[in-house]
């Protein structure tokens, strides 16, 4: 199964080589030592949020499920591994039969997270789980960073819609994933047709300055666009003189002009002037769209401006200064022997420099205050306290190698809106601060 199961038109290719070489060399050594089949638990988490961020956003879960299902080693891949001396024959035989057969639990896509949250838990044999580390982190780190930036921008925009238009500012495949993550984080549309094709995200777009410059004058350009696209199109009015362009636009379309777009200058000042001019010309329903290197701070500064929509590119697809979520994938428990039914024992990395981890198979729950808002992220091992039993965050995503939680992208988008609304009001502040709720640890048994 893959995205096609939701009626989407694109299958995911093999993801087997979206990995680091040391995953395969660890497997090779574990097979030699007889420990590759030992039951293991890996967890994805981050030790800290990006500087100044109040919460994180889980995004990419659906892409992870596709990646796990399509982690297959075909003949060409196996030949490459043999020719490069990366895998010996025992390892190649094992890889040829590889199918992830374990379980994956995780925060559902669109949920928020905090430092220490067990965002994803992967359980199975050491061999089958360790191979997934790089591809899982690659997806979650990128997509969650973009979704977090999108969420902050959506919060700053309020009810005004946001257009994702960053495809030209990043890798062509990353652009598709970024558009998907932006939609989860609250953006309404994308300019990227591949994202629309693959994930059924609404797409928009009209013209750039090149179209105006192609014509002998602005009037000819506007008339050509209106004749092709209709009066409800969006005309770009800052190629030459904004006031003259607005006047010309309304002369051509009448008050039915859909929107004008402003892509340069003092957006606050220009938006007020354009709104006044449109109203004076009778185009009171014509909307104003602003673009031009916007981020969440610029969007917030335009809250009082007569703006109807924002288009965001560079700052979105680069995570607004934080292009990764700094998630890690760590072994937190493993069977004390290779025998069937051997109990799990917690394991943890101990090192200096803030890179320690906490051992044990974990659960997570979000405690609410008396008003129903989140007040703490509680992470623990062993039995879940009764008062938190119905507030658990992890859901089953894969059971025995079969995906059991695939969902439409709109479900993740709606979930994020609800999760953000359930946070304390200070979560939406753009000023620097600590995570909006603390992470508390409840220690118990190994959770085997």
């Amino acid at each position: 199964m893959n995205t096609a199961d939701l009626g989407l038109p694109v299958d995911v290719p093999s993801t087997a080589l979206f990995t680091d070489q040391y995953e395969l060399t660890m497997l090779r050594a574990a097979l030699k030592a007889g420990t590759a089949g030992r039951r293991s638990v890996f967890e994805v988490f981050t030790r800290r949020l990006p500087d100044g961020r109040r919460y994180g956003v889980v995004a990419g879960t659906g892409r992870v499920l596709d990646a796990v299902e399509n982690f297959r080693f075909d003949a060409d891949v196996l030949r490459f591994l043999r020719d490069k001396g990366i895998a010996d024959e025992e390892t190649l035989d094992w890889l040829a039969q590889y199918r992830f057969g374990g379980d994956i639990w995780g925060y559902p896509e669109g949920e928020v997270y905090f430092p220490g949250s067990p965002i994803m838990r992967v359980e199975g044999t050491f061999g089958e789980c360790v191979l997934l580390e790089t591809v899982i982190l690659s997806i979650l780190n990128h997509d969650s960073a973009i979704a977090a930036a999108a969420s902050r921008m959506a919060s700053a925009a309020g009810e005004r819609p946001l257009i994702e238009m960053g495809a030209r500012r990043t890798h062509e495949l990353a652009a598709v994933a970024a558009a998907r993550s932006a939609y989860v984080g609250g953006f309404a549309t994308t300019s990227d047709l591949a994202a629309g094709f693959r994930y059924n995200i609404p797409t928009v777009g009209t013209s750039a300055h090149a179209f105006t410059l192609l014509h002998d004058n602005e009037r000819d350009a506007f008339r050509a666009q209106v004749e092709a696209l209709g009066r409800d199109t969006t005309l770009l009015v800052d190629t030459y003189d904004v006031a003259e362009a607005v006047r010309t636009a309304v002369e051509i379309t009448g008050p039915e002009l859909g929107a004008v777009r402003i892509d340069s200058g003092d957006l606050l000042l220009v938006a007020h002037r354009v709104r006044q001019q449109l109203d004076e010309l009778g185009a009171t329903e014509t909307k104003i769209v602003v673009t031009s290197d916007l981020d969440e701070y610029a969007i917030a500064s335009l809250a009082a401006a007569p703006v109807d929509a924002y288009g965001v590119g560079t700052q979105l697809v680069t995570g607004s200064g934080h292009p990764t979520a700094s998630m890690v994938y760590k072994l937190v428990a493993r069977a004390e022997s290779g025998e069937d039914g051997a109990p799990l024992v917690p394991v943890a990395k101990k090192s200096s420099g803030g890179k320690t981890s906490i051992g044990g198979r974990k659960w997570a729950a979000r405690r609410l205050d008396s008003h129903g808002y989140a007040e703490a992220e509680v992470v623990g091992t062993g039995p879940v306290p009764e008062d938190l039993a119905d507030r658990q965050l992890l859901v089953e995503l894969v059971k025995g190698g079969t995906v059991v939680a695939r969902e439409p992208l709109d479900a993740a988008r709606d979930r994020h809106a609800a999760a953000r609304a359930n946070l304390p009001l200070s979560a939406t502040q753009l000023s620097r601060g600590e995570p909006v709720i603390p992470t508390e640890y409840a220690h118990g048994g190994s959770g085997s």
Side-chain angles (χ1 to χ4, degrees):
M1 292 192 298
N2 47 47
T3 51
D5 295 318
L6 293 175
L8 303 178
V10 181
D11 290 342
V12 177
S14 171
T15 53
L17 291 185
F18 292 165
T19 192
D20 292 308
Q21 181 168 319
Y22 83 161
E23 314 291 8
L24 295 181
T25 55
M26 282 192 286
L27 170 65
R28 179 174 177 174
L31 287 170
K32 185 71 65 178
T35 53
R38 187 172 286 188
R39 183 185 174 202
S40 300
V41 180
F42 287 82
E43 288 177 353
V44 176
F45 62 93
T46 184
R47 296 182 177 94
R48 64 190 64 85
L49 297 178
D51 187 34
R53 296 287 172 90
R54 305 297 181 92
Y55 60 92
V57 181
V58 178
T61 308
R63 297 208 305 124
V64 166
L65 298 181
D66 289 338
V68 170
E69 282 187 328
N70 291 280
F71 205 92
R72 304 284 188 270
F73 293 84
D74 59 25
D76 289 338
V77 169
L78 294 170
R79 186 179 304 110
F80 164 77
L81 296 175
R82 177 183 291 109
D83 292 346
K84 297 298 182 181
I86 296 169
D88 61 8
E89 291 304 316
E90 179 186 14
T91 306
L92 291 169
D93 290 344
W94 192 94
L95 293 173
Q97 305 301 317
Y98 180 84
R99 300 290 186 273
F100 179 74
D103 303 329
I104 299 178
W105 290 70
Y107 282 37
E109 190 158 20
E111 184 58 85
V112 296
Y113 70 87
F114 300 91
S117 297
I119 296 162
M120 187 168 286
R121 189 175 71 222
V122 183
E123 305 183 39
T125 67
F126 176 84
E128 65 183 339
C129 294
V130 75
L131 291 184
L132 299 177
E133 174 184 7
T134 303
V135 70
I136 287 177
L137 288 179
S138 177
I139 293 171
L140 292 180
N141 268 315
H142 173 270
D143 290 21
S144 297
I146 305 305
S151 177
R152 285 162 60 86
M153 293 173 187
S155 178
E159 297 300 317
R160 297 171 178 176
L162 290 157
I163 306 164
E164 186 282 314
M165 48 197 306
R168 64 190 62 194
R169 303 301 189 199
T170 189
H171 185 281
E172 66 272 18
L173 298 181
V176 182
R180 182 186 183 281
S181 298
Y183 191 69
V184 170
F187 275 58
T189 55
T190 179
S191 66
D192 188 73
L193 291 180
F197 177 69
R198 186 177 187 83
Y199 297 116
N200 202 31
I201 300 170
T203 60
V204 295
T206 50
S207 69
H209 292 103
F211 186 77
T212 300
L213 296 170
L214 169 69
H215 294 81
D216 293 338
N217 55 63
E218 205 164 40
R219 182 176 295 274
D220 288 348
F222 287 175
R223 183 178 291 109
Q225 183 175 328
V226 170
E227 288 177 355
L229 302 179
R231 294 175 183 268
D232 62 346
T233 190
T234 299
L235 296 175
L236 182 58
V237 295
D238 70 327
T239 305
Y240 305 117
D241 178 84
V242 173
E244 182 61 30
V246 171
R247 186 178 303 107
T248 301
V250 177
E251 286 178 3
I252 292 171
T253 64
E256 295 85 12
L257 174 61
V260 295
R261 178 162 75 95
I262 306 166
D263 188 50
S264 60
D266 183 335
L267 297 179
L268 179 62
L269 175 63
V270 176
H272 277 287
R273 288 178 175 174
V274 168
R275 180 74 272 158
Q276 180 179 356
Q277 185 181 12
L278 287 170
D279 291 347
E280 290 173 350
L281 293 170
T284 57
E285 300 300 316
T286 298
K287 299 185 183 303
I288 297 175
V289 180
V290 296
T291 53
S292 185
D293 289 329
L294 298 177
D295 62 10
E296 60 266 49
Y297 301 101
I299 291 169
S301 74
L302 293 169
V307 171
D308 298 285
Y310 306 94
V312 189
T314 303
Q315 293 301 318
L316 175 68
V317 299
T318 57
S320 194
H322 297 287
T324 178
S326 299
M327 295 177 187
V328 295
Y329 182 99
K330 297 298 181 184
L331 182 67
V332 296
R334 50 90 174 162
E336 65 179 18
S337 72
E339 297 180 5
D340 291 341
L344 287 174
V345 294
V347 295
K349 176 181 178 181
K350 291 181 172 61
S351 64
S352 59
K355 286 194 171 185
T356 58
S357 57
I358 298 174
R361 181 179 183 271
K362 299 176 194 67
W363 51 264
R366 191 161 298 147
R367 192 172 66 237
L368 306 182
D369 65 17
S370 59
H371 301 287
Y373 290 95
E375 68 173 10
E377 192 89 338
V378 186
V379 177
T381 58
V384 181
E386 289 186 9
D387 62 322
L388 294 175
D390 62 349
R391 299 298 307 167
Q392 293 189 74
L393 293 163
L394 279 79
V395 299
E396 195 168 28
L397 302 171
V398 176
K399 183 176 183 178
T402 300
V403 172
V404 295
R406 188 169 275 114
E407 62 183 5
L409 197 58
D410 278 322
R413 173 184 168 87
D414 293 343
R415 181 180 297 114
H416 176 63
R420 190 176 65 199
N422 190 239
L423 295 175
L425 186 60
S426 58
T428 62
Q429 293 177 351
L430 297 180
S431 57
R432 292 186 178 275
E434 297 299 315
V436 69
I437 61 173
T439 302
E440 300 177 359
Y441 292 95
H443 298 289
S446 66
S448 61

